[in-house]
Amino acid sequence: MPASRRSFLTGLAAGCLLPGHCLAASGDARRVASLDYGLANTLLSLGQPPIAVAAADSWSEWVVEPPLPQGVVDLGTDREINMERLTALAPDLILTTPYVQGLRGRLEEVAPVLTYSIYDQDKQPYRKAREATRDLGRKLECREAAAQLLDSTDSFFARLATQDRNRPSGPLLLLRFMDARHVRVYGKGSLFDDIMTQIGLANAWQGSTNAWGFQTVGIEQLAEAAGPETRIFTFEPLPGEVRPTLEESPLWTRLPAVKAGRFSVLPAVLMFGMLPSALRFARILSAHLGEDGHEG
């Protein structure tokens, strides 16, 4: 991959992820807790870092960038929130998704709650992430920062779509391994599918998906979608037994795409994220395709 292309992708996407100027990020900054990684990552991109995040200790494994600022409190898992810790922090606002709707009553005893539904039966996570970003900009008095994030995302995807329009690439199959025999395959309703559409790449998986945009299948069920022209991608982190087991698995090694050497492991990308995760996914994927000699 030419250094100029790598620099373009890295520099442009990094610019999209830089925190913008937030009107509420002055002396009267709101103290916001987030029970969702995607919402927390959006706060960072708006220049309004959260004071606390569910599962903050695992951020570097699943979200990666940008790193959480020092001092962000870990609230425990999203289904087992440490309510005593949250109460002691006295947040001004708590951000959630419907995934933790059962906790809403208890959360409202601590602070006002804003719930954003990004992944649901509508299966339009990119559009809903944009709407939520714009709404957060209004609620947190960060309209300028939100507009900047939306505009820079549009610009980045438009440039990728133009730059890569003539690449002779086959369809892509996006997976996450649950164990050595089962995967989540991402299709309609996933952030990955939406962003591939934005930048002009085809998804090989046309099967059914749930409200989160994936279907869990055995690897033998990938045969039809994983033809020799398909490129298969999975993401770190991989379960510990996957790498050694796959090498010995005839179910896996006989897949046409695998036999053709068209399988790669990419760095971690938050699969249920919002615009910052969309940018990271597009940058990593496009850079990898550009480095692959037979893909242009």
Side-chain angles (χ1 to χ4, degrees):
M1 179 187 204
S4 59
R5 174 184 169 84
R6 184 181 299 109
S7 298
F8 162 76
L9 291 169
T10 302
L12 183 57
C16 296
L17 291 170
L18 289 175
H21 174 69
C22 181
L23 297 178
S26 56
D28 60 347
R30 294 191 186 185
R31 294 168 53 80
V32 183
S34 176
L35 307 191
D36 175 76
Y37 279 161
L39 290 166
N41 212 1
T42 302
L43 289 176
L44 289 171
S45 292
L46 296 180
Q48 178 79 353
I51 61 169
V53 175
D57 283 353
S58 298
W59 181 277
S60 61
E61 182 177 21
W62 296 100
V63 185
V64 184
E65 65 175 339
L68 278 180
Q70 290 188 350
V72 174
V73 175
D74 190 327
L75 293 174
T77 66
D78 50 14
R79 288 301 183 94
E80 297 181 358
I81 295 298
N82 188 322
M83 295 302 297
E84 291 184 1
R85 187 174 297 169
L86 180 62
T87 301
L89 287 170
D92 300 315
L93 181 67
I94 301 170
L95 299 183
T96 71
T97 69
Y99 186 70
V100 292
Q101 185 65 21
L103 295 174
R104 187 178 181 104
R106 296 174 63 196
L107 296 173
E108 288 178 333
E109 295 175 1
V110 178
V113 176
L114 269 180
T115 299
Y116 291 99
S117 179
I118 309 299
Y119 296 85
D120 55 30
Q121 295 297 336
D122 289 346
K123 296 192 175 185
Q124 298 185 60
Y126 179 60
R127 177 180 67 80
K128 293 201 167 189
R130 294 178 62 84
E131 292 172 353
T133 298
R134 190 174 288 109
D135 191 65
L136 281 170
R138 290 192 295 266
K139 295 287 198 308
L140 299 177
E141 300 180 67
C142 292
R143 292 175 177 84
E144 183 178 341
Q148 179 182 344
L149 177 58
L150 289 162
D151 290 346
S152 59
T153 301
D154 288 342
S155 175
F156 185 50
F157 291 163
R159 293 191 192 187
L160 285 184
T162 300
Q163 186 177 41
D164 297 336
R165 184 174 295 158
N166 298 319
R167 183 197 300 123
S169 175
L172 310 182
L173 193 61
L174 283 297
L175 313 174
R176 181 168 295 282
F177 280 90
M178 308 309 292
D179 55 41
R181 293 179 60 91
H182 300 89
V183 298
R184 286 179 175 176
V185 56
Y186 293 91
K188 177 68 174 176
S190 68
L191 185 67
F192 298 154
D193 185 78
D194 275 2
I195 302 315
M196 285 196 293
T197 298
Q198 290 292 317
I199 62 178
L201 297 171
N203 193 337
W205 185 259
Q206 298 299 312
S208 62
T209 56
N210 60 15
W212 295 86
F214 69 85
Q215 182 177 153
T216 302
V217 300
I219 58 176
E220 72 279 0
Q221 294 173 260
L222 299 175
E224 185 174 347
E229 299 304 314
T230 300
R231 196 79 168 85
I232 303 178
F233 292 100
T234 191
F235 301 89
E236 297 284 3
L238 295 177
E241 77 278 9
V242 167
R243 288 183 189 269
T245 304
L246 284 183
E247 294 175 0
E248 305 298 327
S249 169
L251 290 174
W252 177 255
T253 57
R254 290 175 185 169
L255 290 175
V258 175
K259 290 173 67 175
R262 298 169 68 85
F263 168 63
S264 302
V265 180
L266 300 180
V269 176
L270 181 62
M271 69 293 295
F272 304 130
M274 294 173 59
L275 298 191
S277 298
L279 287 162
R280 176 173 168 81
F281 170 66
R283 170 169 52 83
I284 288 174
L285 182 63
S286 187
H288 190 91
L289 290 173
E291 289 174 348
D292 191 332
H294 65 264
E295 296 216 24

